[in-house]
Structure formats: C-alpha cells, structure tokens
C-alpha cells in the first residue's frame, strides 16, 4: 500500500506562511495526493488535491515535486482557526473502479498568536 | 444543501449490547466510507460502499461489525455484543464517486462509549 510520512507536529506564528511537508516515495502513477484537516472535535474536512501539477484554491496551495515523491501544503497566512491536524493522503486505486482514502497520523499544526 | 448527517451524535451503551449507527450521505453521492477514530488517534478505515454494494470490507475489525446501505443512500453500521475497546468516534464520509480526483465530505461523527 502506498503510504505517506508527515512530521508529527509543527508550529507557526499567526499571519505567517506555513509549509506542511509530506513524503510519499512509493506513489504510483494513478495515485492522487489529497490533503484533509481535522479541527478539534470535528470530522475531517477536504483542503485540496492534485495529481501532477501544483494547485491553488481559496484555502491553500499544493506544491507537488516533479518526481511526485513528495508534496507540500502551503497555508499562505496562518490564522488561529487553522490549528488542526493535517492529513496527507494518497487516493490509491484499490480495484473494482474505486479509490481508497486511507489516513495516516497527520501533522498537528499549532498556531501561536 | 445538507452535508453528511450522522445519528446519534452520542451513544452510551452497556457492554454486550448491540448498537446501530446511521449515516445519511449527501444526496447523489454514490461512494460512502466508514471510519473509526479512537481517542487521540488517526482514522481507521472500516468499510467502503459503492452504491449498495461493499467492494471493500477489509477494515472491519471483527465479525461483530457489519454494515449495510440501502437505496444507494442511508447506511447503517451495526456493532453486536459491544466491547469497551469499541469505544471511539465513528465517522462517515461520502463522495460523488470513488475516483481519485473526487473529494470526500465527512459527518460530525457518532461518539460511542461502551461502559
């Protein structure tokens, strides 16, 4: 199974950019890179996803290495509401036309006022 | 425009009793996932539905756990003869399809406590 590796925790100062790294050295050509985050006492929420090219949306940016073995989620300006556990996930093909969504341990982001 | 709805939000049950947890996915979403999250831990995959069929049940921890989905919509996760180690938050997610590019939407979960 394709897996991801993330730091257990990171800290950021409020209003500064945050770069959350993820390694996925066993990624295959059909695997999509997804990021979700989970705020305390809530279900996970989708942040962003990509396949090969860098992606931007209203929440964040996703930078994908050329060899796709790593990626970085970028929060351009951290706020206190961004304090959460961030999960980097590979959406991997599991047969029968479906893609798994398997979570790892994630990175706990703390934002310092 | 309701999101994924789970009920009950909290359930306390006695050891040995059966419990049913319900998930109402977003209308039109064909893929449905169940996860379990123990305190302070990550999400553990349980089962995946595409329509009413479950092509991947690999995460169900024991034969005490079962799930069904009817009408391509509502899903029920049943735990028989509950044990204390079943205590966790049970999360349901749905997505428009199960392709790699589709995003999943999660409910708020059911917090199950077995006493």
């Amino acid at each position: 199974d394709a897996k991801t590796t993330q730091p257990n925790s990171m800290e950021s100062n409020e209003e500064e950019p945050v770069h959350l790294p993820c390694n996925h050295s066993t990624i295959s050509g059909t695997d999509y890179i997804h990021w979700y985050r989970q705020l305390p006492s809530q279900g996970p929420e989708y942040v962003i996803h990509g396949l090969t090219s860098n992606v931007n949306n209203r929440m964040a940016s996703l930078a994908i290495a050329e060899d796709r073995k790593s990626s970085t989620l970028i929060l351009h300006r951290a706020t206190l509401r961004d304090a959460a556990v961030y999960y980097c996930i590979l959406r991997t093909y599991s047969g029968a036309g479906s893609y798994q969504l398997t979570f790892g341990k994630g990175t706990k982001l703390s934002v310092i006022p | 425009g309701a999101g994924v709805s789970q009920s009950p939000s909290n359930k306390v049950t006695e050891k040995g009793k059966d419990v049913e947890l319900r998930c109402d996915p977003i209308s039109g979403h064909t893929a449905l996932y169940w996860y379990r999250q123990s305190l302070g831990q990550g999400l553990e995959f349980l089962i995946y539905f595409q329509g009413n069929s479950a092509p991947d049940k690999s995460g169900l921890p024991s034969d005490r756990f079962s799930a069904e989905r009817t009408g391509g919509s509502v899903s029920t996760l049943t735990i028989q003869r509950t044990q204390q180690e079943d205590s966790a938050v049970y999360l349901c997610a749905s997505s428009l399809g199960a392709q790699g590019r589709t995003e999943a939407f999660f409910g708020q979960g059911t917090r199950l406590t077995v006493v």
Side-chain angles (χ1 to χ4, degrees):
Chain A
D1 289 348
K3 292 182 180 178
T4 61
T5 305
Q6 299 176 254
N8 290 332
S9 62
M10 290 184 66
E11 278 187 354
S12 173
N13 293 318
E14 195 177 8
E15 299 189 6
E16 289 188 357
V18 184
H19 290 233
L20 298 165
C22 181
N23 287 319
H24 28 79
S25 58
T26 60
I27 192 170
S28 73
T30 56
D31 294 343
Y32 283 75
I33 302 160
H34 283 241
W35 284 81
Y36 285 75
R37 71 179 186 181
Q38 188 173 24
L39 279 65
S41 301
Q42 295 191 24
E45 94 179 299
Y46 168 81
V47 177
I48 199 166
H49 79 273
L51 183 61
T52 56
S53 304
N54 295 343
V55 184
N56 298 298
N57 67 19
R58 64 174 181 81
M59 288 182 72
S61 295
L62 177 60
I64 300 173
E66 196 168 335
D67 64 5
R68 301 212 322 130
K69 292 183 185 296
S70 66
S71 62
T72 302
L73 178 71
I74 302 165
L75 306 179
H76 295 288
R77 196 163 160 268
T79 69
L80 296 179
R81 289 177 297 177
D82 292 322
V85 177
Y86 286 78
Y87 295 98
C88 168
I89 299 156
L90 296 186
R91 196 117 150 101
T92 60
Y93 186 67
S94 58
S98 70
Y99 280 76
Q100 283 189 350
L101 195 63
T102 304
F103 286 73
K105 296 189 182 300
T107 296
K108 183 174 183 178
L109 175 67
S110 300
V111 179
I112 303 166
Chain B
V4 177
S5 177
Q6 292 187 246
S7 60
S9 55
N10 281 285
K11 176 73 176 179
V12 180
T13 190
E14 291 180 354
K15 178 181 172 181
K17 294 283 179 71
D18 299 351
V19 294
E20 285 189 353
L21 312 179
R22 177 186 170 107
C23 173
D24 280 274
I26 293 173
S27 178
H29 280 196
T30 60
L32 187 147
Y33 304 81
W34 281 99
Y35 294 87
R36 176 169 74 172
Q37 188 170 34
S38 301
L39 187 63
Q41 302 297 310
L43 277 75
E44 175 189 3
F45 169 77
L46 297 178
I47 188 169
Y48 151 70
F49 286 92
Q50 180 61 38
N52 291 335
S53 61
D56 189 350
K57 305 179 183 179
S58 62
L60 294 178
S62 75
D63 58 7
R64 296 186 296 105
F65 287 72
S66 63
E68 65 174 12
R69 189 180 185 193
T70 56
S73 180
V74 172
S75 176
T76 303
L77 177 69
T78 301
I79 309 173
Q80 295 179 311
R81 304 181 303 281
T82 52
Q83 304 295 312
Q84 287 186 329
E85 61 262 28
D86 299 333
S87 296
V89 176
Y90 289 81
L91 289 157
C92 174
S94 71
S95 62
L96 193 58
Q99 298 84 7
R101 64 184 178 277
T102 55
E103 63 193 84
F105 295 83
F106 282 80
Q108 293 300 301
T110 294
R111 181 175 299 278
L112 175 66
T113 304
V114 181
V115 297

